[in-house]
Each structure stands twice: as C-alpha cells, then as structure tokens.
Amino acid sequence: MENENTQFIPMPRIGDKAPEFKAVTTQGEINFPADYSGHWAILFSHPADFTPVCTSEFMTFASMEEKFEQADCKLVGLSVDGLYSHIAWLRTIKEKIEYKGLKDVEVKFPLIEDITMEVAKKYGMLQPGESSTKAVRAVFFVDPKGIIRTIIYYPLSLGRNFEELYRVLIALKTADAFAVATPADWQPGDDVIVPTAGSCGVAKDRMENKKDMHCYDWFFCTKKLDKDEVLKTVLKK
Ligand code: BEZ
C-alpha cells in the first residue's frame, strides 16, 4: 500500500539540474547546490548513524577527503537521522573507532540531518523495496554548474568502493577537459576513446591514416593521453 514514504516522486536523472534544498548539517546550514557553484560536489546518502557499514564508509571517505579536495570536489553526506545523532556518531568515530589502520578520523565534511526525509525524497534516495524509512547508499556527482553528471546506487548491505568514486570523478573531469570518453576500468595514463567518426569520410580516413590513434575498428579508436597531463589538468595546482 502506498504511504507518504512510498509515493511516486520522479528521481533526478543524469543531465538534470541538481534539485535545490537548504539543510541543517554538522557544519552549519547549507544551500545546495548554490553553495558549491564553481566546484564539483558529491552528495551521498547512508542508511543510518551508528551502523557498521556506514561507519566503515565514513571513516574511509573522511580519510580521502583531502584527495577529493585536491580534485576540487566537496563531499556532502546525508541520512534521515537528526543532528544530535550525527554529532554523537561522528564524535564516537573520532574518539573510539579504529578500523583498518584508520583512527582519530575527523569527519570534516557536512552531514545533513533529514528527519523529514525532504531531501532524501527529492533525490530518490528512499527505495521502498529496500527500505521506506532509511535512505539507500546513493551517490550524486554534481558538476560546477550544478548539473548531475553521474548517479550510483548501492543497497543497504553493500559498502561503497571509494576509490571507484574517485576514479569516476577524475574520469568525468578528464572527459570534459579533453573531449574524450574513457573505456572500461580506465585510470589516468591509460588510452582514451576519441569521439566516434560522424561521417563515412572520417571513418574511412581513420582506418586509412590512423595518425596518432589506434583503431580497433572505424567506430572504436583510442589515443594516448599522458598521465601527468591528465593530473595537471584535473587536480588543483
Ligand atoms: C550498516 O550500515 O551496517 C547498515 C545500515 C542499515 C541496514 C543494514 C546495514
């Protein structure tokens, strides 16, 4: 049966403007995405404070915050718990938890309180088949213009791979900066994909005069892109 948590709200899609909201967080009030204009932002949700998978995720993400900052990307967390629960949980993480060599971990990025579930609903973070009272593990990559560029969802039981989130960020920035696409499992330094030939002439030329490209077929050509050039472009000086 439908209740207020399961009613149909369209989920934002890749290419949409990130839905706007104001929220109370562990770092004061934020106005999203306006406060992040000109920077990349990752808005991510977790099911609940004081839970093991979420604790492992927060410790891991917080330990990588500087790395994301170097790529000009701000982190913003959310759960449907209240502010005082958030504060108590983050204090517990810093003061008591040692996990995989991480200890004394301070979560400096804002964690949104969303007791009303207003933000979670706007972003489709509640997936009733999984839980109608807890947000799933959603990740929204928002670009400097406030456009959603990637969305990734994980269920409650599955902790995210934060190196993969970092790879996604660097790949998005690389695609923008160099007008290329990135193949499966791409990492900086690997070959990138040049836009597919849009005419028979270009397709023929690609196959006959490959120049600096490697063409597996007319529609699938790659070229080298130097790792240092990528990192110089996508990371802050
Ligand atoms: C966890 O973070 O451990 C968790 C949270 C909600 C449901 C299942 C696991």
Side-chain angles (χ1 to χ4, degrees):
M1 213 178 70
E2 221 179 56
N3 62 33
E4 64 175 23
N5 293 333
T6 59
Q7 78 208 22
F8 179 73
I9 298 174
M11 282 174 54
R13 292 163 300 192
I14 292 174
D16 287 354
K17 262 197 91 51
E20 294 173 359
F21 64 83
K22 285 195 175 122
V24 170
T25 85
T26 49
Q27 302 291 329
E29 221 177 273
I30 63 165
N31 187 355
F32 194 90
D35 289 350
Y36 298 85
S37 176
H39 306 278
W40 284 81
I42 294 178
L43 173 66
F44 70 102
S45 57
H46 70 277
D49 300 343
F50 292 102
T51 49
V53 179
C54 298
T55 300
S56 70
E57 288 194 320
F58 263 65
M59 293 186 73
T60 306
F61 219 177
S63 74
M64 295 170 72
E65 187 177 8
E66 181 61 27
K67 192 168 157 172
F68 281 85
E69 181 60 40
Q70 277 301 309
D72 193 27
C73 179
K74 319 269 181 210
L75 312 180
V76 183
L78 174 148
S79 85
V80 300
D81 296 291
L83 183 64
Y84 300 120
S85 166
H86 284 345
I87 293 171
W89 180 45
L90 299 188
R91 284 176 61 88
T92 302
I93 285 176
K94 178 162 168 50
E95 289 165 12
K96 299 201 181 130
I97 311 286
E98 186 170 348
Y99 167 73
K100 283 198 168 173
L102 299 172
K103 64 176 182 180
D104 197 26
V105 173
E106 189 170 349
V107 175
K108 297 185 185 138
F109 55 79
L111 175 50
I112 294 168
E113 78 155 358
D114 192 28
I115 304 174
T116 61
M117 304 187 183
E118 195 189 319
V119 181
K121 285 180 193 166
K122 261 190 185 173
Y123 275 82
M125 292 164 170
L126 293 166
Q127 308 258 312
E130 182 75 344
S131 168
S132 51
T133 56
K134 291 178 171 67
V136 294
R137 302 181 197 281
V139 188
F140 289 83
F141 292 75
V142 178
D143 76 10
K145 292 184 177 149
I147 304 296
I148 295 171
R149 299 291 299 279
T150 298
I151 303 173
I152 308 177
Y153 276 78
Y154 290 63
L156 302 185
S157 64
L158 178 57
R160 285 162 277 211
N161 182 322
F162 292 92
E163 287 297 346
E164 168 62 3
L165 301 190
Y166 184 73
R167 191 190 76 89
V168 169
L169 174 69
I170 300 301
L172 287 168
K173 295 185 76 169
T174 300
D176 285 358
F178 296 96
V180 294
T182 48
D185 299 332
W186 178 85
Q187 294 285 352
D190 292 348
D191 291 357
V192 292
I193 295 175
V194 295
T196 302
S199 70
C200 293
V202 173
K204 183 167 180 285
D205 188 52
R206 288 240 175 119
M207 292 310 284
E208 286 171 4
N209 315 297
K210 286 177 188 142
K211 294 184 199 132
D212 54 350
M213 288 179 204
H214 175 80
C215 289
Y216 298 88
D217 203 335
W218 67 269
F219 66 92
F220 184 5
C221 297
T222 60
K223 68 174 183 183
K224 298 211 172 306
L225 183 54
D226 182 61
K227 180 176 182 175
D228 289 343
E229 199 181 342
V230 169
L231 298 182
K232 198 172 69 193
T233 305
V234 304
L235 301 183
K236 289 203 276 195
K237 312 291 171 271

